[in-house]
Amino acid sequence: MKPRESVLRLKRFEAEEKSRKVADLQAMIREFEQMASDLERQISSEENRTGIKDMRHFAYSTFAKAAAQRRDNLKISVDDLRVKLDLAMAELDAARDNLTKAESSDPRDLGRM
């Protein structure tokens, strides 16, 4: 295999790997948001069932408290994942730029990349 082909394969692999990482992060964010939404509905349903909506009330549902804590944790995780997604998207853009440069460059220039 020629050196140019090796470099191009490596650049393509890096870009595909970054693309998979972005897709995985996006899927995780969607899943966590869906889970938080489901928990929100369960909390609302439990509050309606018990008639107590104030979390500070002594008789507030322990199920609703636990579900609210899980929902809040999921929201924190989503925020963290969004930061990671932004970073992964920047890395993907850089990898795609490197691939484009490698594909359009003169074969003699590949040693400098």
Side-chain angles (χ1 to χ4, degrees):
M1 181 178 291
K2 295 180 182 176
R4 176 175 166 76
E5 291 171 9
S6 296
V7 170
L8 288 175
R9 283 182 54 164
L10 176 64
K11 300 290 183 186
R12 283 188 194 108
F13 176 78
E14 289 173 353
E16 290 168 2
E17 187 64 28
K18 302 292 183 188
S19 180
R20 280 191 289 274
K21 183 176 180 181
V22 166
D24 289 345
L25 287 168
Q26 289 172 334
M28 287 174 63
I29 290 170
R30 279 192 306 273
E31 186 176 333
F32 284 7
E33 287 175 336
Q34 180 62 43
M35 290 168 59
S37 177
D38 291 344
L39 285 169
E40 188 66 45
R41 282 192 293 279
Q42 291 175 5
I43 293 165
S44 178
S45 175
E46 182 70 8
E47 288 175 345
N48 290 335
R49 184 186 71 77
T50 62
I52 302 171
K53 297 183 186 287
D54 183 10
M55 286 186 79
R56 295 169 295 183
H57 191 278
F58 73 94
Y60 188 77
S61 168
T62 55
F63 171 78
K65 279 183 187 178
Q69 182 63 48
R70 287 193 303 270
R71 178 204 57 210
D72 294 344
N73 288 343
L74 283 169
K75 288 181 178 182
I76 291 168
S77 295
V78 166
D79 291 341
D80 291 342
L81 287 172
R82 287 189 193 283
V83 171
K84 290 179 181 179
L85 177 62
D86 290 341
L87 179 62
M89 291 178 82
E91 290 174 357
L92 174 60
D93 290 341
R96 286 181 176 163
D97 288 344
N98 288 339
L99 175 60
T100 302
K101 289 176 187 174
E103 288 174 336
S104 64
S105 69
D106 186 3
R108 294 174 296 227
D109 293 338
L110 286 178
R112 292 182 222 134
M113 293 184 127

